Amino acid sequence: MTILGRDGGILAAHSLYDALTSHHTPRSLIEDEIGRRRANSPNLDAARSCMPNRSSGHHRGREVSRLLRDLPGSPSDVLHANTVEILDAHPGGVWSQGDVLVSLRELNMIAVLDLAARSVRWFWGPGELSGQHQPSALPGGTVLVFDNGHAVGRSRVLEIDPSSDAIVWQYTADPPQDLFCAMAGGCERLPGGNILISDAQAGRAIEVTRDRRTVWAVQIRTTRSSTTASRAELYRISAVPAPAAATLRGGDEPARRLASARVRCELSDDVHLDLRSVP
């Protein structure tokens, strides 16, 4: 994990492996995943021999991360981190200002790390999460996360209280399998308290209230992707703050040029967009 300054220079570099293996549970999860891949991959012995030996002190930090990425398997990135968020101090003291929240998809775990101390502040997910994406710390101290549910065939949104590790709120479809996003996707809390959910493989996003009512939805379908159903129609939809949207609508040419330079997907003849509000 690399921290950059405003000029793009590297201020610090940290190893996820060093931080995670400071705690016995994440360390065991990593070792178990390596063992599973070793059992399923007859050519893993050479890679296994390069793994770290704690007594020798060799193969630390970035080198270990590279070795873990190179292990056989699909996907092969054992420490795949699909979210990194720098945190404010937790109101209950679970973590401190500047700690980071990470999502480790292959370990089915979210964790808060003190990178400077190379230590684990908090973790959650084994036995509950499956291929999760986009955890975020909410102002009250809870954590919101999109549980893809890859292993069980249904996705859900969870809110966890790190002080007790309890699930304090969740959203599932009715029936549950109506929301299943095996890859990508995510969720975010909107300023008014509603939750925006990205159902990536279905090419849709939905906004739900705290009492689990759907109040808005968007559907995007691309004709060219109809033969590649295993891939996502979109990666994630995110809310744009009202002032930013107003600037783009208001004819600010430099702002529009900047937005155009950042956009990586454009609507074309084979993309179909359906917006609807739900009473």
Side-chain angles (χ1 to χ4, degrees), residues 7 9 20 42 57 62-63 70 119 151 194 207-208 222 225 268:
D7 61 354
L20 289 165
R62 289 185 175 183
E63 188 175 358
D70 290 342
S119 64
N194 289 353
E207 179 184 342
V208 301
T222 59
S225 65
S268 59

Side-chain angles (χ1 to χ4, degrees), residues 12-39:
H14 300 278
S15 164
L16 279 176
Y17 179 85
D18 285 350
L20 289 165
T21 55
S22 68
H23 190 287
H24 62 88
T25 299
R27 182 172 67 245
S28 295
L29 289 171
I30 292 170
E31 291 172 351
D32 289 347
E33 181 65 11
I34 292 171
R36 183 186 68 80
R37 292 169 189 269
R38 183 174 186 269

Side-chain angles (χ1 to χ4, degrees), residues 110 122 124 129 141-145 158-169:
I110 57 178
W122 172 78
W124 189 87
L129 297 176
T142 56
V143 174
L144 192 72
V145 64
L158 302 176
E159 184 178 350
I160 304 103
D161 180 358
S163 299
S164 62
D165 287 345
I167 298 173
V168 296
W169 182 85

Side-chain angles (χ1 to χ4, degrees), residues 40-236:
N40 295 331
S41 304
N43 297 324
L44 184 58
D45 287 338
R48 179 72 172 182
S49 67
C50 297
M51 292 308 297
N53 182 326
R54 288 185 173 274
S55 62
S56 69
H58 296 313
H59 300 301
R60 304 299 296 171
R62 289 185 175 183
E63 188 175 358
V64 171
S65 296
R66 179 184 59 77
L67 290 169
L68 292 176
R69 285 197 303 273
D70 290 342
L71 291 177
S74 179
S76 60
D77 188 357
V78 174
L79 296 185
H80 181 92
N82 56 34
T83 299
V84 176
E85 178 182 328
I86 300 175
L87 300 173
D88 294 326
H90 186 269
V94 179
W95 56 73
S96 301
Q97 177 85 25
D99 289 344
V100 297
L101 172 64
V102 297
S103 170
L104 301 152
R105 184 189 65 190
E106 296 302 292
L107 301 180
N108 302 317
M109 181 177 69
I110 57 178
V112 174
L113 307 177
D114 180 342
L115 294 177
R118 297 182 179 179
S119 64
V120 179
R121 292 279 197 174
W122 172 78
F123 69 91
W124 189 87
E128 287 281 0
L129 297 176
S130 178
Q132 75 289 334
H133 284 76
Q134 202 183 4
S136 58
L138 303 185
T142 56
V143 174
L144 192 72
V145 64
F146 183 72
D147 176 19
N148 290 72
H150 185 273
V152 293
R154 59 95 186 94
S155 301
R156 54 185 180 162
V157 177
L158 302 176
E159 184 178 350
I160 304 103
D161 180 358
S163 299
S164 62
D165 287 345
I167 298 173
V168 296
W169 182 85
Q170 64 177 301
Y171 172 84
T172 56
D174 184 16
Q177 60 269 24
D178 280 0
L179 175 61
F180 178 45
C181 181
M183 59 181 294
C187 62
E188 67 176 85
R189 181 184 182 275
L190 301 177
N194 289 353
I195 306 298
L196 179 64
I197 303 170
S198 296
D199 184 3
Q201 286 187 286
R204 65 171 178 156
I206 58 175
E207 179 184 342
V208 301
T209 63
R210 295 291 295 186
D211 59 2
R212 302 171 182 84
R213 291 184 300 108
T214 300
V215 295
W216 176 88
V218 61
Q219 181 75 57
I220 299 174
R221 285 289 184 188
T222 59
T223 56
R224 64 172 175 267
S225 65
S226 60
T227 59
T228 55
S230 65
R231 305 303 300 172
E233 296 272 7
L234 54 91
Y235 183 77
R236 186 173 299 152

